[in-house]
Amino acid sequence: MDRAAGERERYERDRSRMVEEQLRRRGVNDNRVLDALARVPRHLFVEEALRDRAYGDHPLPIGEQQTISQPYIVALMTSLLALTGPEKVLEIGTGSGYQTAVLARLARRVCSIERLPSLAMRARALLEELGYTNVWIRVANGALGWPDEAPFERILVAAGGPSVPPPLFEQLAEGGRMMLPIGDAASQTLTLVEKVAGAMRTTPYGDCMFVKLVGKYAWES
């Protein structure tokens, strides 16, 4: 077996272990989500020097003072979106593109916003290389959403803000679901937001810690 094949096998084993030990055992039971995380090569979304840690139960730095979320948080947020396949999803905070890839396996179309051009460029190139053809990425203030593509059946916000940005709730379709961290700069609560008869219904899902959502309707830079 050559070195490349050996590495592929090792990363596949690491992904399988991640799914069983970090996700399924902690209550993530959506088989579509578990399958997506078992297939997306997380190690390619981090720097080469960190690849041996890519499948650990922790976030990792990706440059520009940003992080790739720990696998459990990615799985939990994704499973709470309750994706069935035909949805158009808005993602706020492309980052490395890892969460984007997971969403792309589960939804019809993913529109992802990243405020940092260097991260957006890198994520776009990697996602194209991996063959994801249902992803669109733009550089913009995520808290303003993507009005031209609204409404969205699902929205996932991978950065913490003080409250639900009004433009994002406006762009959420009736009956839609949004996952986001809400709180102060030190800690947030992972929150499910649902639009029911035009009104906002929220459900908390525990403490979390994300980088800041920056800009209007969020934290000032």
Side-chain angles (χ1 to χ4, degrees):
M1 181 184 298
D2 62 29
R3 180 179 177 183
E7 285 189 347
R8 280 196 301 273
E9 283 198 5
R10 176 165 61 87
Y11 288 131
E12 286 173 4
R13 287 195 302 271
D14 289 346
R15 278 199 299 280
S16 295
R17 188 179 306 115
M18 174 191 77
V19 167
E20 293 303 319
E21 296 180 3
Q22 299 175 38
L23 311 183
R24 198 186 299 276
R25 288 185 187 176
R26 293 176 70 180
V28 178
N29 54 21
D30 185 324
N31 286 327
R32 293 184 72 240
V33 172
L34 294 174
D35 181 69
L37 271 88
R39 292 176 181 272
V40 176
R42 181 177 166 89
H43 62 281
L44 297 182
F45 292 86
V46 301
E47 296 177 8
E48 191 168 356
L50 298 175
R51 286 183 178 176
D52 285 345
R53 301 172 58 196
Y55 296 100
D57 189 22
H58 43 66
L60 288 169
I62 57 171
E64 300 279 6
Q65 297 182 311
Q66 304 298 300
T67 60
I68 180 174
S69 296
Q70 77 184 92
Y72 173 70
I73 291 295
V74 172
L76 177 62
M77 292 182 76
T78 306
S79 65
L80 289 169
L81 287 179
L83 292 161
T84 60
E87 298 89 357
K88 179 164 62 173
V89 180
L90 174 63
E91 178 191 33
I92 307 302
T94 314
S96 69
Y98 176 67
Q99 173 76 78
T100 319
V102 172
L103 293 171
R105 284 187 166 272
L106 299 167
R108 174 177 61 85
R109 179 179 174 94
V110 180
C111 298
S112 187
I113 300 177
E114 172 55 55
R115 70 181 180 88
L116 298 168
S118 63
L119 294 184
M121 187 182 311
R122 191 187 315 159
R124 184 183 292 117
L126 179 55
L127 290 165
E128 288 178 357
E129 181 183 336
L130 292 174
Y132 292 99
T133 59
N134 60 336
V135 173
W136 284 259
I137 297 174
R138 72 159 35 167
V139 177
N141 173 8
L144 298 179
W146 198 323
D148 295 347
E149 287 284 345
F152 299 93
E153 288 81 22
R154 303 289 189 268
I155 299 177
L156 186 147
V157 184
S163 59
V164 178
L168 297 186
F169 187 70
E170 290 169 10
Q171 292 171 37
L172 184 65
E174 174 62 32
R177 298 164 75 93
M178 179 189 330
M179 287 301 306
L180 76 168
I182 298 176
D184 58 30
S187 66
Q188 303 97 34
T189 299
L190 196 59
T191 305
L192 170 65
V193 173
E194 298 172 273
K195 184 178 279 191
V196 182
M200 185 185 300
R201 184 168 69 190
T202 63
T203 307
Y205 279 92
D207 297 336
C208 59
M209 180 64 185
F210 279 77
V211 297
K212 285 183 178 181
L213 182 64
V214 174
K216 190 175 183 181
Y217 301 116
W219 300 106
E220 294 301 325
S221 58

